[in-house]
Structure formats: C-alpha cells, structure tokens
Amino acid sequence: MGKREIDREYVETVVKVRYAETDQMGVVHHANYLVWFEVGRVAWCRDKGFSYADMEAEEGHYLMVAEAGCRYKSPARFEDEIIVRTAVAKATDRVIRYRYEIRSKAGGRLLATGETAHVVTDRSCRPSRLPERYRKYFFSETPAGADRG
Amino acid sequence: MGKREIDREYVETVVKVRYAETDQMGVVHHANYLVWFEVGRVAWCRDKGFSYADMEAEEGHYLMVAEAGCRYKSPARFEDEIIVRTAVAKATDRVIRYRYEIRSKAGGRLLATGETAHVVTDRSCRPSRLPERYRKYFFSETPAGADRG
Amino acid sequence: MGKREIDREYVETVVKVRYAETDQMGVVHHANYLVWFEVGRVAWCRDKGFSYADMEAEEGHYLMVAEAGCRYKSPARFEDEIIVRTAVAKATDRVIRYRYEIRSKAGGRLLATGETAHVVTDRSCRPSRLPERYRKYFFSETPAGADRG
Amino acid sequence: MGKREIDREYVETVVKVRYAETDQMGVVHHANYLVWFEVGRVAWCRDKGFSYADMEAEEGHYLMVAEAGCRYKSPARFEDEIIVRTAVAKATDRVIRYRYEIRSKAGGRLLATGETAHVVTDRSCRPSRLPERYRKYFFSETPAGADRG
C-alpha cells in the first residue's frame, strides 16, 4: 500500500491545549498524549459512521487498551491547537491496532507519533470478538490478507 | 460543639505532590485539590472501619458529589508532602457533607480549606438512602439533635 | 441589571466529554468541571480580544485561583457535547471573579453552575495588579460602581 | 548480568488507586500508568540519594520524556494498592532509560510493564548533559561499557 493511501486513512480532529494539561516544565505533560490518542479514536469512530459510546452501551463491547507507545518529538504548549491524526494499522475481530500523529495546527510540525493496541472485551474485561455489525468499520481499513502489524 | 472535639474528628492522610499535578505556574493545578479531598474521604472511610469501594460494589450505593468548594491559601509544589484532613460536617441518610483542610506536612502551613456535599444514590444516579449498616459510621460523627447546617 | 443583559455577557465554548474524564460511576468525574471552567476562561479571553497565554508570557502576570466552587445538577456522560458559559461576575485590578454555567448542548439542560475567584499575581505568586492594557477587557464587563460580588 | 542483580536494582514505591483514576470501564484509565511511572522515578531518585525537584530547581536540568511505552496485563481497580518498581535500564549523560513493573501489592500479580526514555535538557528544553554531581546516581546502575538499550 502506497504512502498516499495510508495518508488518506488518517482521520483528523483538533484539540486545544488546556492549562491543566501543562506541567511545571511549561509544556504539555506527556501522559496527556494518551488522552489525545483516545480523543482521536473517538473521532475516528465518528468518521467511520458509529459511536464508540454506543458500542459500549448497546453492545457491551469494549476496546481495552493492551499496549500504548508514544515518541515525543517537540513539545506542545498552552493554547496551541493540535491536530490528532488517527488510523487503524491492523484489525482482527479480537485485536485492533491504531497509530497516531500529533501535529501542530499552525505549521503542521510533527510533535509526536504513537500507537495503541486494543483487545476486544465484554463488560467484565474478558476477551471477546467485535460485534458483527461493527466489523465493517474496522476491516474496511485493511484489505483481506493485509498484515501491517 | 467545642473546637477540640471538632479537631479530633479529622482523619489525616498524606499525599506527595506528583509532577503531573503541577501546571506551568510551577505549582499544583487547583483541580487536583478536589482529587485530594476524595483521597481524604477514602481514608476517612477506612479510619471509620469500612471501604468506600465495598459500599459501591456490595451495596450499589454511591456518594455522588453535589457540591464542592475550595479556598486556596498558599500553593503546593512538586514533591511536597501534603496532609489531607477530612471530617464529616453534617450527615443524614440522604446527604453527607464533608469538610477538609490541606496542610503542608513540613511546618503544618494551611494550604487550602474546602467542603463537599454528597447525595446518596443508587447505581443509576437516583437519590437513595444510606444502607442501614453504614449509617453508624456517618452518624457517630454528629450527635443527635445537633444542627450542623 | 436585567436578566437579558447578564445573559449576553456569557461567552460560550463547547467541549466534548473525553473517556478519560469519566470515572467508575459512568459519569464525568467532578474535578473535571474545574478544568472546563478554565477552558471557559480561556475562551472568554479570546472572545474579548486577547490571549491568556500572552498575558502570562509577555506580561508575567497570572490569574491565580483563590477560590472555586461548583454545584452539580445533572451528570455529564462520555461523548456528550457540553456548553461552557463564562462571564465575569466582578473585577478589580487585583481580583477577578468569574461565574459559569455548564449545559448540555443537546437540549440545553443545566448540568452545573460554578464560580471562581482569581488574584492577580506576578511570576512568583506574589499579589500584583492587572497590567494597564488588559484592564479594559475585564472592566468593560462591570460598570463603574457596580458591585456584584 | 544475572536476573537476581537486575531485580535488586528496582526501587519500589506504593500508590493507592484513586477514584479519579478510574474510568467508566470500572478500572484505572491507562494514561495514569505513565503518571505512576513518574512517581516511580521520583522514588528512584530519593532512593539513590537526591531529589528530582532539586535537580530541576538548583541545576536547571530536566529529564524530558522522549519515549514512553506500556503493556497492560491485568486491570487495576479503585483502592487497590499498587507497587511501582523502577530501574534504570541504560544511562549516558544525555539520555536515561528507565523500565518499570506495576504489580498488585496483594498477591504480587503483574499488572503492567513499561519503559521511558528521557533526554537531559536545560530550562528551555534544549539538549544538555547531566550535571556532574548527578552522574554517579545514574551511572552506578550500569557498569562501564554496558549497553542494555
């Protein structure tokens, strides 16, 4: 799959840095990037045509975080507008992998990259499978047989 | 009720300021004091002989926050040890009011005072009453007939 | 001052509830409302024509939180869109008081009301006065002689 | 280096899960593990004989987070006591790498593992070198010539 197609897969959403997200270094505390990734996943779901809240509430299925990683390239600062770019890197009906880019809206500078892996679970945190009606959203991202893990 | 008795009612617990709790002013972000009050309530429950987690999990009863207030006197800083002092100010089987003092462990300086009010609810956030077996913990704090509004 | 005029003073901004802002009651943790108030203040500054970030960075002046209060009327939930309404309640060149309404965007239901008081300080948290060029933003809100504390 | 020696290098500290750290899945939100890692680093510094706060305040040197990763094995819950185990994995005077284990205090169950990389910077986030007097703390962990990245 070419670079252009991968780029098109990213769903973008914007967050504005909150004062509470800064720390005494004067920049955004690094743990908040995981929260922004989560904001990115919710926007990704909306873009694909469903609500993550509904998937939890109506189907009782959760995408529990199993792994998270982030590489911080350049600090984000209070009141900066930040673009969170989210794409599915790999999906099965049991495990979903997302990847992220965090960019400054002014200038497009790359601030961070990251990835998360999620296990599909039921309400009791037990492994489960994606509900049938949700599979199309995740699998349309990755052609049959593709393995981009 | 005399000053001495009120003082005895406070349950103390210690938190150490985390880096993530600071903001770009170089002091603890003010929203964290509400989290510390909550840590104080959990310690208060333990001191009285029960676990707030159990009250939620076993009885399905919650103390939902209905009001919160805080007055900030002096800033707390990274790595400071902080004493959270928690007391019940007033309790019925439907509404519990707590008050708090936040002090520096080194020197005892008063950093903040606050109060919260809680409505007893069921799992669905509907008003309820304190489970019978938990009433003694809250009511022993305040003599019958006292008007502690 | 009539109800209509007060209403016009509110500056509105929208936040979308983040998963990280929920707690195990299944609703937004109460401490986040103070963060939303802060988001409201930043939006209020932008609406008036200046940036709070600039006031800190260029003038070295801070609006340190001295008091905060919130009354929670109805819970906010994951993915809800929330309107944060922010107005100056009272302002001198040393102390600024804001008030807030938190409403559900869908339906306009009142979720919480609150208020904060801020002391103008320098970088070292010492009391100071609003820089001359910023006074107009705050004082235009409150006619001379008004005392709505 | 044998397994036993590596184990001895871990510095342990305990945190108790706060209500505010849970999310609507009923478990600790995953971003909090990065905050616990940070609590672990502060405890590690104290154990070695210095204060991270002092290194920032007195020397103007920071350990800026450049990378963070976490693998979540089993959820942590409200009121659980959690052991944060922290060790230096690799250190030069420009880059420090830590690794972590998060365990349940009751039973010792492994809840998560993680690692962070930190670039030594000055106050302005520019790359710098560990102050001379601090090097011994980090380098005593890793024998000369060792490369365990």
Side-chain angles (χ1 to χ4, degrees):
Chain A
M1 181 177 286
K3 176 79 168 52
R4 272 230 318 287
E5 285 140 289
I6 287 174
D7 274 0
R8 273 189 323 201
E9 287 172 18
Y10 278 104
V11 170
E12 296 193 353
T13 192
V14 174
V15 296
K16 192 167 181 179
V17 174
R18 301 173 174 186
Y19 203 89
E21 292 172 331
T22 63
D23 65 25
Q24 70 180 40
M25 280 198 78
V27 299
V28 171
H29 186 270
H30 65 282
N32 292 298
Y33 289 70
L34 299 199
V35 176
W36 294 349
F37 292 166
E38 191 172 71
V39 168
R41 290 193 298 277
V42 171
W44 183 92
C45 293
R46 284 283 175 193
D47 182 83
K48 296 306 163 196
F50 70 104
S51 145
Y52 181 71
D54 290 349
M55 193 172 109
E56 280 200 357
E58 295 168 12
E59 305 281 340
H61 279 73
Y62 296 74
L63 297 182
M64 197 167 209
V65 182
E67 296 177 27
C70 189
R71 285 156 303 285
Y72 306 87
K73 310 288 188 188
S74 184
R77 293 175 193 278
F78 173 50
E79 284 210 33
D80 284 354
E81 287 190 298
I82 302 295
I83 300 174
V84 183
R85 307 184 76 227
T86 306
V88 163
K90 187 178 175 183
T92 71
D93 59 356
R94 297 185 177 280
V95 177
I96 315 288
R97 290 181 179 275
Y98 283 98
R99 62 181 160 217
Y100 312 88
E101 284 182 10
I102 303 290
R103 289 186 178 275
S104 167
K105 193 176 171 194
R109 184 184 183 130
L110 183 65
L111 305 183
T113 60
E115 59 285 319
T116 55
H118 304 259
V119 177
V120 181
T121 72
D122 65 13
R123 281 184 221 282
S124 307
C125 302
R126 279 185 299 251
S128 180
R129 293 181 167 218
L130 268 186
E132 180 63 35
R133 56 177 285 235
Y134 285 97
R135 295 183 190 181
K136 64 177 179 293
Y137 304 123
F138 294 92
F139 295 171
S140 66
E141 293 297 300
T142 47
D147 189 318
R148 285 173 279 152
Chain B
M1 182 179 284
K3 176 78 166 54
R4 273 230 318 286
E5 284 140 288
I6 289 174
D7 274 1
R8 274 189 321 202
E9 287 172 17
Y10 278 105
V11 170
E12 297 191 352
T13 192
V14 174
V15 295
K16 192 167 181 179
V17 175
R18 300 172 175 187
Y19 202 89
E21 292 172 329
T22 63
D23 65 25
Q24 70 180 42
M25 281 198 76
V27 299
V28 171
H29 187 270
H30 64 283
N32 292 297
Y33 289 70
L34 299 199
V35 176
W36 294 350
F37 292 167
E38 191 171 73
V39 169
R41 290 194 297 278
V42 171
W44 183 92
C45 293
R46 283 284 175 194
D47 182 83
K48 296 306 162 195
F50 70 104
S51 144
Y52 181 71
D54 289 349
M55 194 172 106
E56 280 199 358
E58 294 170 12
E59 305 279 342
H61 279 73
Y62 295 75
L63 297 182
M64 195 166 210
V65 181
E67 297 176 27
C70 188
R71 284 157 304 284
Y72 306 87
K73 311 287 188 188
S74 186
R77 293 175 193 280
F78 172 51
E79 284 211 33
D80 284 354
E81 287 189 299
I82 302 295
I83 301 174
V84 183
R85 307 184 76 226
T86 306
V88 164
K90 187 178 174 182
T92 70
D93 59 355
R94 294 185 178 279
V95 177
I96 314 288
R97 290 181 178 275
Y98 282 98
R99 62 183 160 214
Y100 313 87
E101 284 182 9
I102 303 291
R103 289 185 178 276
S104 167
K105 193 175 171 194
R109 184 184 182 130
L110 183 66
L111 304 183
T113 60
E115 59 286 317
T116 55
H118 304 259
V119 176
V120 181
T121 72
D122 64 15
R123 280 186 222 279
S124 308
C125 301
R126 279 186 300 252
S128 181
R129 293 182 167 217
L130 268 185
E132 180 62 37
R133 58 177 285 236
Y134 285 97
R135 296 183 190 181
K136 63 178 180 291
Y137 303 123
F138 294 92
F139 296 171
S140 65
E141 290 299 299
T142 48
D147 190 312
R148 299 153 264 150
Chain C
M1 179 176 287
K3 176 77 166 55
R4 272 229 318 286
E5 286 140 287
I6 288 174
D7 274 1
R8 273 189 323 202
E9 289 172 17
Y10 279 104
V11 170
E12 297 191 352
T13 193
V14 174
V15 296
K16 192 167 181 179
V17 174
R18 300 172 175 187
Y19 203 89
E21 292 172 330
T22 63
D23 65 24
Q24 69 180 43
M25 279 198 78
V27 299
V28 171
H29 187 270
H30 65 283
N32 291 298
Y33 289 70
L34 298 199
V35 175
W36 294 350
F37 292 165
E38 191 171 71
V39 169
R41 290 194 297 278
V42 171
W44 183 92
C45 294
R46 284 285 175 191
D47 182 83
K48 296 307 162 196
F50 70 103
S51 145
Y52 181 70
D54 289 349
M55 194 172 107
E56 280 198 359
E58 294 169 13
E59 305 279 342
H61 279 74
Y62 295 75
L63 297 182
M64 196 168 211
V65 182
E67 296 175 27
C70 189
R71 283 158 303 286
Y72 306 87
K73 310 288 189 188
S74 185
R77 293 175 192 280
F78 171 51
E79 284 211 34
D80 284 355
E81 287 190 297
I82 302 294
I83 301 174
V84 183
R85 308 184 75 227
T86 307
V88 164
K90 189 178 174 182
T92 71
D93 60 356
R94 295 186 178 279
V95 177
I96 314 288
R97 290 181 178 276
Y98 282 98
R99 63 181 159 214
Y100 313 87
E101 283 182 10
I102 304 291
R103 289 185 177 275
S104 167
K105 193 175 171 195
R109 184 184 182 129
L110 183 66
L111 304 183
T113 60
E115 59 285 317
T116 56
H118 304 259
V119 176
V120 181
T121 73
D122 64 14
R123 281 185 222 279
S124 308
C125 302
R126 278 185 300 250
S128 181
R129 294 182 166 217
L130 268 185
E132 181 62 36
R133 58 177 284 237
Y134 286 96
R135 295 184 190 181
K136 64 178 179 290
Y137 304 122
F138 293 93
F139 296 171
S140 65
E141 291 298 301
T142 47
D147 189 318
R148 285 172 279 153
Chain D
M1 179 177 287
K3 175 78 166 54
R4 271 230 319 287
E5 284 140 289
I6 287 175
D7 275 359
R8 272 189 323 200
E9 287 173 18
Y10 278 104
V11 171
E12 297 192 354
T13 191
V14 174
V15 296
K16 192 168 180 179
V17 175
R18 300 173 175 186
Y19 203 90
E21 292 172 331
T22 63
D23 65 24
Q24 70 180 41
M25 278 198 80
V27 300
V28 172
H29 187 268
H30 63 283
N32 291 298
Y33 289 70
L34 299 198
V35 176
W36 295 349
F37 292 166
E38 190 172 73
V39 168
R41 290 193 297 278
V42 171
W44 182 92
C45 294
R46 284 284 175 191
D47 182 83
K48 296 306 163 197
F50 70 104
S51 145
Y52 181 71
D54 289 349
M55 194 172 107
E56 279 200 359
E58 293 169 13
E59 304 280 342
H61 279 73
Y62 296 75
L63 296 182
M64 196 166 209
V65 181
E67 297 175 26
C70 189
R71 284 157 303 284
Y72 305 88
K73 310 289 188 187
S74 184
R77 295 176 192 278
F78 172 50
E79 285 210 35
D80 284 354
E81 287 190 298
I82 301 295
I83 300 174
V84 183
R85 308 184 76 226
T86 306
V88 163
K90 188 178 174 182
T92 71
D93 60 355
R94 296 184 177 280
V95 177
I96 313 288
R97 291 181 178 272
Y98 283 98
R99 63 182 159 212
Y100 312 88
E101 284 182 8
I102 303 291
R103 290 185 178 274
S104 167
K105 193 174 171 195
R109 184 184 183 131
L110 183 66
L111 304 184
T113 60
E115 59 286 318
T116 56
H118 304 259
V119 177
V120 181
T121 73
D122 65 13
R123 282 184 220 280
S124 308
C125 302
R126 277 185 301 249
S128 181
R129 293 180 168 220
L130 268 186
E132 181 62 38
R133 56 178 286 237
Y134 285 96
R135 294 182 192 182
K136 64 178 179 290
Y137 303 122
F138 294 92
F139 295 171
S140 65
E141 291 299 300
T142 47
D147 189 317
R148 286 172 279 152

